[in-house]
Amino acid sequence: AARNDLPVIRALLNAGVKPDTHAAGETTPLLVAIGATRSDVALALLAAGADSEATDAQGHTPLMLACAAGQAALVESLLARHARIDAEDHGGRSALWYAAAAGSRATVALLLANGATQEKGDARGLTVLHAAAAQAGADVLEPLLAAGARMNRRSAAGDTPLMIAAASGHAEVVEALLAHAPELDVQNSGGDTALMAASRGGHRAVCHMLLAAGANKALRNGAGVSAGDIASARGFDSIAKEIGGKS
């Protein structure tokens, strides 16, 4: 199974070898196949009765791994076999969280249509919308927001999806979120705003978008510095000039 040789696996299954056969301490053939993005092998194992709820050492289920790889056909097959849609791994992340992080609109749509919940955050309080924002998943924002995702939800560190996207410089995600009028001047546990996060990373286009939307450039974080000060200190002169920072 480690080689994911479909003819060999089919021959073994036809000979009566159980689809979940694996050595102690190793993952099941199904998890191995999905991790290798061999949906053909995975589907053959499922058809032979492989356990769709088996987990690896991190608590990942077959559904989570299929979502992380954007394998929509396999996700559909697992859901048809009643895979637990809201199961969580050891980090508190669900299949929908992984689908959002992968930026797979088709997979996200499948999960939402089958009742996946999205508001529970992972161990760091990051929701599926945070996951999409962190990975430039602009394509999946609309279905998530349409299904009720709270764009101003804060992580354990106080970050909103907008702040995550701004810090990463994901202009398309920031633009998509701004179209839904998020709170612009939320400050996280360190006092940073989305504008400060963008200026720290030198993301000029994102800074421009936030300023145009009305972000408050006069706010200061816990260290007593503004977005303009941050840009100046990091040598991002064009950003500092637009925002206004220390000379």
Side-chain angles (χ1 to χ4, degrees):
R3 295 194 305 271
N4 287 303
D5 189 322
L6 183 56
V8 171
I9 290 173
R10 280 179 171 160
L12 290 170
L13 292 172
N14 290 335
V17 176
K18 293 183 179 180
D20 293 318
T21 300
H22 62 287
E26 295 184 357
T27 56
T28 65
L30 177 60
L31 288 166
V32 171
I34 298 174
T37 64
R38 286 297 303 271
S39 57
D40 55 342
V41 174
L43 289 169
L45 290 166
L46 283 171
D51 183 3
S52 63
E53 298 299 336
T55 59
D56 63 16
Q58 292 74 44
H60 299 136
T61 65
L63 184 60
M64 291 175 197
L65 294 182
C67 287
Q71 300 180 67
L74 184 54
V75 169
E76 190 168 14
S77 181
L78 286 163
L79 291 175
R81 288 171 170 78
H82 307 292
R84 287 187 303 141
I85 199 166
D86 287 326
E88 297 176 2
D89 65 12
H90 298 333
R93 297 171 176 175
S94 66
L96 183 59
W97 198 101
Y98 282 105
S104 175
R105 187 183 182 101
T107 305
V108 166
L110 268 174
L111 294 169
L112 290 174
N114 280 273
T117 57
Q118 59 173 315
E119 282 308 311
K120 188 178 183 301
D122 68 1
R124 294 183 296 163
L126 298 170
T127 66
V128 294
L129 201 60
H130 284 98
Q135 301 299 327
D139 195 43
V140 304
L141 290 179
E142 289 304 326
L144 291 172
L145 290 169
R150 292 160 53 199
M151 75 174 69
N152 295 315
R153 172 77 178 269
R154 300 193 190 197
S155 69
D159 294 316
T160 64
L162 179 63
M163 296 167 75
I164 295 288
S168 302
H170 297 323
E172 289 186 1
V173 176
V174 170
E175 184 177 29
L177 289 171
L178 288 176
H180 291 269
E183 294 179 16
L184 297 175
D185 298 319
V186 172
Q187 292 179 277
N188 64 17
S189 57
D192 278 352
T193 63
L195 183 59
M196 292 175 193
S199 67
R200 180 173 289 108
H203 306 305
R204 186 178 182 182
V206 172
C207 288
H208 184 76
M209 288 179 186
L210 292 169
L211 288 170
N216 186 347
K217 61 185 180 181
L219 290 175
R220 296 181 179 274
N221 63 15
V225 295
S226 67
D229 296 338
I230 292 170
S232 293
R234 290 181 170 260
F236 300 129
D237 295 338
S238 60
I239 295 176
K241 183 177 180 180
E242 182 172 7
I243 299 176
K246 293 177 181 177
S247 58

